Amino acid sequence: MGRIADGKRKRGRGTTDFASKNISKKQKKHLEEFGEIHPADDRKQDRTKYQKVEDEQEKKKLPKNKRQVQVEESDSSSDEESAYNQLLKSVHSGEQSSDSEIDNDESSGEDSEESEDDIEDAAEEDDDEEEGAEKDEDVEEKEDAEEDTDDEDEEQIDEEDDESESDEDEVAEEKQDNDESDPFCQHIEVDIPEAFVENLADKTKWTKSEKMIPHIGKCIVTQPADFSPVAAPVINDLSAAHVKESLMKNLKVTNSTCLENSSSEGPLTALQQPLFNIFNSYQDLLYTKADYTQWEEIRTTYCLHILNHVLKTRSKVITHNSKIKSKKDDIPDEYRDQGLTRPKVLVVLPFRNAAYQVVNTLCSLLADDKQSFVNNRKRFDKEFTTLEEESKRANRPDDFEAMFEGNIDDHFRVGIGIAKKSVKLYTEFYKADIILASPLGLRTIIGSEGEEKRDYDFLSSIEVLIFDQADTFLMQNWDHITHLMEHLHLQPKDAHGVDFSRVRMWTLNGWSKFYRQTLVFSSIVFPELNGLFNKHCHNYAGKISLKHHHNGGSICQIVTQLPQVFQKLRCDSYYQLADARFQFFIKKVLPQFTDSVMSHTMVFIPSYFDFVRIRNHFKRETINCGVISEYSSDKSVSRSRTQFFQGKIHFLLYTERFHFFRRYRIRGIKHLICYELPRYPHFYSEISNFLKDPRKRQNDSDLSCTVIYSKYDMHRLAGIVGTERASHMIKSDKNVHMFVTGENT
């Protein structure tokens, strides 16, 4: 290599200039005359790669990792030398050689021209390969950057959500939040008297009054007798209601679907306006007319409320952090702005599809054209949407399609961190502001007494509790709801990094349940729901519950010419009702349908415990029957339906929960027995219409329906026959009431 660098090497007996072999005859002649290569030829041969000049401003816009990669590429490219550049060095070194050496190589001049062209072509190919490699590296960098987007977003969210840093915008907004007319300040920052707290647990010291709320209906308002909180005024201007400006900007777009069918001129519909006024006053609400047509309106309204609540809390914490830095003394009580744990909002939902809609609404309300982040969105979409698209089954009601559209898994829980312009999904519970979970998902993490791995400390400082589609919880397992309520606001086992100097005094005193706002939405009224609202809701701001009045009931939706006999079961105690009903059924009702003439009889049973009891009785008495319940396999269901339609089995035991989750049409029914009134009033009309089979000619006079009810079934009976008729049937001395429905009734 040393000899090649000097431009000389040995050939045969003598020495020959290495450079002279790689120049043309014209160049040789000019070299002999003037002692150097012609300047024009020199510029042509002095060919180097162009240096890429980058705009500094554009370079600053790039992420740090990309800038570093480009600097490393430029350094590495400057060190690499092509074969053509090495050849030029050897040519310049050959200029100092003697003329005799040049003359000795005249015979090789013609070959040098061809070699020069080959070298130039090779150099051009090298340049093309290098440019292609640079493009490939750029593509790889882009792919890597896309893969690391979630990590970068997470870092940016963490930086933005760092409450230890002061933000001038947050400080300015906090000044607005300190307005004494803000319902948030009136409720959260008010310390109720200690003597008054003792009276809150005594329900006899609460007063009740009726109030007509537009677009909602007649409501019952319950408030403490000795304390009258300042109620939020009924206003339609969200800015006067102290809603964050960023939320108001995006509300019109988020709520556009609801506003299409509304005559309201404001950002909220006619139903949303009174609902938000109740939410914003921090009163508890039991709304039992939330059918599937109102789900989107209700969801958008409570998402607006909880985001407004979380952002105001965040704004105060950040502002107080900045003020505390400048103080060396003890922290005053006015800076107490936190709970024992960070989660402030808990939204309980039945299925993943409902949680997916809530997250979409939250992200839409926080969306910003300039800069907004949703961390872990790809993972969330993957886990909360349907993996396999299922075709919609025919002959399914609209409420069924709305309930079971999408992912209907009922075991999930997600923590959500909220910043000013970002949403961070799958946040650890003790770093989250909002928790979305199903009853089963909460039950598995709360656990039971005696279990080693259980955690419920994150429920200690919940300020807003929402039950959406609460009637569905009854079809799942209501025990999970009662178990959840028993573990709210308990003393945490661990500190979880809390600064006790910043914890509110009413939280330290164990009064969190008196400040918690509970919002319950259901499509029906049932005793378990009323018990939850009366027993576990102690909000000192008061609570509002909707008073139902059914005009006609679902019996008006029956098109079959069907005589319906309602038989009253008399029982003095609710605890004896199950036994009394069973004895009434097997002694007075069942004997009327055991004859072969009364075949094709279906027994509708709402409770699974009653279903098991009746099934065991039929087995003991060797009564020919088929069974369909929520635990039956598809094969068993198909066999029972076929045998019942063909008349091979006399009775068919059918549960309400199976009808809720599957909504099959049962053919071949001639006689219907309602062991107990269904919880959903429209189920009664649906099943009654099954008796009229459009595919089969039959005599309507052979059809019958028998219903067993008691004085404890007032809510269910009112939903079926109407409030006025139900009241008359409960108070009447008669034990049998008959209705005949049909097309002309």
Side-chain angles (χ1 to χ4, degrees):
M1 291 297 293
R3 289 174 298 193
I4 293 177
D6 293 338
K8 300 179 182 179
R9 70 175 179 178
K10 295 182 180 179
R11 177 187 292 179
R13 297 180 181 177
T15 60
T16 307
D17 183 15
F18 174 76
S20 63
K21 180 179 178 181
N22 299 322
I23 60 178
S24 63
K25 292 181 179 180
K26 184 177 180 182
Q27 290 174 340
K28 287 182 182 180
K29 184 177 180 181
H30 193 279
L31 184 59
E32 291 175 357
E33 293 179 358
F34 301 100
E36 62 180 359
I37 299 177
H38 195 279
D41 296 331
D42 188 28
R43 287 193 300 269
K44 182 179 179 181
Q45 288 185 356
D46 190 13
R47 179 175 176 178
T48 59
K49 291 194 301 181
Y50 292 103
Q51 182 179 0
K52 185 177 180 180
V53 180
E54 297 179 351
D55 189 357
E56 292 296 331
Q57 295 180 354
E58 295 295 331
K59 188 174 182 180
K60 291 180 180 179
K61 294 180 180 180
L62 294 174
K64 294 181 179 180
N65 57 351
K66 287 191 176 183
R67 278 185 268 167
Q68 184 177 0
V69 171
Q70 290 184 354
V71 172
E72 291 176 357
E73 288 178 356
S74 62
D75 294 340
S76 60
S77 62
S78 63
D79 295 337
E80 297 177 357
E81 291 183 342
S82 64
Y84 185 76
N85 290 333
Q86 294 179 358
L87 181 61
L88 288 179
K89 288 184 178 180
S90 63
V91 170
H92 288 295
S93 63
E95 294 178 2
Q96 306 298 329
S97 62
S98 60
D99 295 340
S100 60
E101 293 175 343
I102 296 175
D103 293 338
N104 291 334
D105 286 337
E106 276 188 17
S107 58
S108 61
E110 296 177 358
D111 297 336
S112 64
E113 294 180 1
E114 298 177 359
S115 63
E116 180 188 3
D117 296 335
D118 295 339
I119 292 172
E120 290 180 357
D121 294 339
E124 292 177 357
E125 292 177 0
D126 291 341
D127 292 340
D128 295 337
E129 290 178 359
E130 291 176 1
E131 292 176 359
E134 291 176 357
K135 293 179 180 179
D136 293 340
E137 291 176 358
D138 291 339
V139 172
E140 291 178 359
E141 289 173 10
K142 291 179 180 179
E143 293 176 352
D144 294 339
E146 291 177 356
E147 293 177 358
D148 296 339
T149 300
D150 290 341
D151 296 336
E152 294 176 4
D153 292 347
E154 184 175 355
E155 293 176 359
Q156 293 178 6
I157 292 173
D158 291 338
E159 292 176 359
E160 185 178 1
D161 200 31
D162 186 3
E163 297 179 348
S164 62
E165 297 180 2
S166 62
D167 189 351
E168 294 181 357
D169 296 337
E170 296 291 349
V171 173
E173 292 182 2
E174 200 270 340
K175 293 180 180 178
Q176 299 177 357
D177 296 338
N178 282 334
D179 190 349
E180 294 181 356
S181 62
D182 188 353
F184 175 84
C185 299
Q186 293 177 354
H187 182 75
I188 299 296
E189 298 183 356
V190 171
D191 292 328
I192 56 179
E194 184 175 357
F196 173 71
V197 175
E198 299 177 357
N199 298 330
L200 289 176
D202 188 1
K203 296 301 180 181
T204 59
K205 297 183 178 181
W206 290 61
T207 60
K208 292 185 178 181
S209 61
E210 291 188 0
K211 180 180 180 181
M212 187 66 185
I213 301 178
H215 305 287
I216 291 182
K218 184 178 292 186
C219 299
I220 299 176
V221 181
T222 307
Q223 289 182 331
D226 300 333
F227 187 78
S228 298
V230 180
V234 179
I235 51 179
N236 298 327
D237 186 7
L238 293 181
S239 60
H242 300 273
V243 178
K244 290 283 187 179
E245 294 183 2
S246 58
L247 299 178
M248 289 190 292
K249 292 179 181 178
N250 299 321
L251 178 60
K252 189 174 183 179
V253 177
T254 305
N255 204 32
S256 59
T257 305
C258 300
L259 292 173
E260 289 178 357
N261 301 324
S262 175
S263 59
S264 176
E265 298 180 356
L268 298 176
T269 64
L271 174 63
Q272 290 175 330
Q273 288 178 359
L275 283 178
F276 184 77
N277 285 328
I278 296 174
F279 299 169
N280 202 39
S281 65
Y282 284 90
Q283 292 177 302
D284 294 347
L285 174 65
L286 175 60
Y287 183 75
T288 52
K289 290 197 305 183
D291 59 4
Y292 72 99
T293 60
Q294 299 179 353
W295 285 350
E296 187 174 357
E297 291 183 84
I298 294 172
R299 180 174 57 246
T300 303
T301 310
Y302 73 66
C303 284
L304 174 66
H305 172 59
I306 62 179
L307 282 179
N308 192 45
H309 178 82
V310 170
L311 291 177
K312 285 182 178 180
T313 304
R314 178 180 179 273
S315 176
K316 287 186 175 296
V317 171
I318 292 178
T319 305
H320 292 167
N321 287 344
S322 62
K323 294 180 179 179
I324 290 173
K325 287 182 179 180
S326 60
K327 293 181 177 292
K328 297 182 180 179
D329 301 334
D330 295 338
I331 300 176
D333 290 342
E334 63 182 9
Y335 290 162
R336 293 184 178 272
D337 49 18
Q338 302 176 18
L340 293 173
T341 54
R342 179 165 175 174
K344 293 173 280 293
V345 179
L346 174 62
V347 183
V348 185
L349 303 159
F351 303 115
R352 287 180 181 258
N353 56 8
Y356 182 77
Q357 297 296 333
V358 170
V359 170
N360 286 341
T361 305
L362 294 175
C363 295
S364 179
L365 288 172
L366 284 176
D368 192 332
D369 296 337
K370 297 180 180 179
Q371 188 179 20
S372 59
F373 301 98
V374 180
N375 193 36
N376 293 323
R377 185 57 192 260
K378 292 182 180 179
R379 174 187 171 188
F380 180 80
D381 291 342
K382 182 179 179 181
E383 295 182 0
F384 281 76
T385 55
T386 306
L387 298 178
E388 297 181 1
E389 293 293 336
E390 297 182 0
S391 58
K392 292 185 177 180
R393 299 185 179 94
N395 301 325
R396 293 292 191 277
D398 293 338
D399 64 309
F400 178 85
E401 295 292 349
M403 173 72 70
F404 296 100
E405 181 181 5
N407 193 328
I408 57 172
D409 180 28
D410 63 348
H411 186 195
F412 65 91
R413 51 181 180 266
V414 181
I416 303 177
I418 300 295
K420 187 177 180 180
K421 298 178 182 179
S422 62
V423 178
K424 185 177 179 182
L425 304 174
Y426 295 99
T427 306
E428 183 185 355
F429 276 6
Y430 294 100
K431 296 181 181 179
D433 300 299
I434 302 173
I435 296 176
L436 306 182
S438 64
L440 180 60
L442 291 171
R443 180 60 182 266
T444 54
I445 190 173
I446 294 174
S448 302
E449 187 176 357
E451 295 182 3
E452 294 182 0
K453 295 183 179 179
R454 56 183 310 207
D455 185 15
Y456 49 83
D457 290 351
F458 60 91
L459 300 173
S460 62
S461 298
I462 297 297
E463 298 171 1
V464 179
L465 175 62
I466 298 176
F467 292 103
D468 197 0
Q469 303 177 30
D471 52 285
T472 310
F473 305 150
L474 196 64
M475 295 290 104
Q476 293 174 337
N477 194 335
W478 189 258
D479 290 341
H480 297 335
I481 301 298
T482 57
H483 189 72
L484 166 64
M485 301 305 295
E486 292 171 357
H487 289 81
L488 280 173
H489 308 300
L490 299 181
Q491 183 176 353
K493 296 181 179 180
D494 299 324
H496 301 286
V498 65
D499 183 2
F500 288 97
S501 63
R502 301 286 299 277
V503 178
R504 298 186 181 96
M505 290 303 300
W506 50 263
T507 303
L508 296 175
N509 293 333
W511 299 346
S512 296
K513 64 179 181 180
F514 301 119
Y515 285 80
R516 187 194 72 235
Q517 181 185 31
T518 306
L519 307 175
V520 185
F521 305 100
S522 173
S523 62
I524 59 174
V525 185
F526 50 95
E528 293 86 349
L529 192 64
N530 289 333
L532 179 145
F533 195 69
N534 295 328
K535 182 179 179 181
H536 296 283
C537 297
H538 310 280
N539 189 353
Y540 81 90
K543 50 188 179 181
I544 299 174
S545 59
L546 182 64
K547 186 177 181 180
H548 264 279
H549 182 82
H550 301 275
N551 294 324
S554 63
I555 196 172
C556 300
Q557 301 173 1
I558 299 176
V559 297
T560 305
Q561 192 76 20
L562 180 66
Q564 304 160 52
V565 179
F566 287 77
Q567 299 187 21
K568 182 189 293 186
L569 166 66
R570 295 190 178 275
C571 182
D572 297 331
S573 174
Y574 180 79
Y575 298 101
Q576 300 175 357
L577 181 61
D579 294 335
R581 189 186 301 274
F582 179 73
Q583 295 298 326
F584 184 86
F585 172 74
I586 63 176
K587 291 181 179 181
K588 294 186 178 181
V589 177
L590 185 59
Q592 303 174 13
F593 295 88
T594 55
D595 192 86
S596 59
V597 181
M598 304 298 291
S599 62
H600 293 274
T601 300
M602 188 179 83
V603 183
F604 181 84
I605 310 171
S607 172
Y608 182 76
F609 299 103
D610 293 333
F611 166 80
V612 174
R613 192 174 190 177
I614 296 173
R615 182 194 62 186
N616 294 339
H617 174 76
F618 276 37
K619 287 183 178 180
R620 287 194 302 267
E621 301 296 329
T622 63
I623 299 176
N624 184 19
C625 72
V627 295
I628 296 179
S629 71
E630 56 271 26
Y631 300 107
S632 300
S633 63
D634 293 341
K635 185 177 180 180
S636 177
V637 171
S638 178
R639 181 174 60 251
S640 298
R641 292 176 64 191
T642 303
Q643 292 177 351
F644 181 74
F645 176 73
Q646 296 174 352
K648 296 181 180 180
I649 54 178
H650 190 95
F651 289 95
L652 177 65
L653 307 183
Y654 188 79
T655 64
E656 184 179 15
R657 289 182 66 189
F658 178 85
H659 188 72
F660 176 83
F661 286 105
R662 307 296 284 273
R663 209 70 67 91
Y664 284 171
R665 178 179 179 86
I666 307 299
R667 298 180 59 195
I669 305 174
K670 292 183 179 180
H671 307 284
L672 175 64
I673 301 176
C674 289
Y675 183 80
E676 187 180 3
L677 292 170
R679 297 182 182 274
Y680 288 89
H682 62 279
F683 283 3
Y684 179 79
S685 59
E686 283 183 15
I687 296 175
S688 297
N689 288 326
F690 287 169
L691 275 69
K692 182 69 174 179
D693 193 348
R695 302 180 185 178
K696 186 178 179 180
R697 294 182 180 180
Q698 57 186 8
N699 189 358
D700 293 342
S701 60
D702 297 336
L703 307 179
S704 68
C705 176
T706 303
V707 182
I708 302 174
Y709 75 96
S710 69
K711 63 180 180 180
Y712 303 104
D713 298 328
M714 179 60 191
H715 288 300
R716 302 189 188 188
L717 189 62
I720 294 175
V721 301
T723 302
E724 295 180 358
R725 283 182 287 196
S727 178
H728 173 73
M729 293 169 64
I730 294 295
K731 297 177 181 179
S732 175
D733 295 334
K734 296 181 179 180
N735 295 331
V736 179
H737 299 270
M738 186 173 180
F739 296 86
V740 178
T741 58
E743 297 179 357
N744 298 325
T745 58

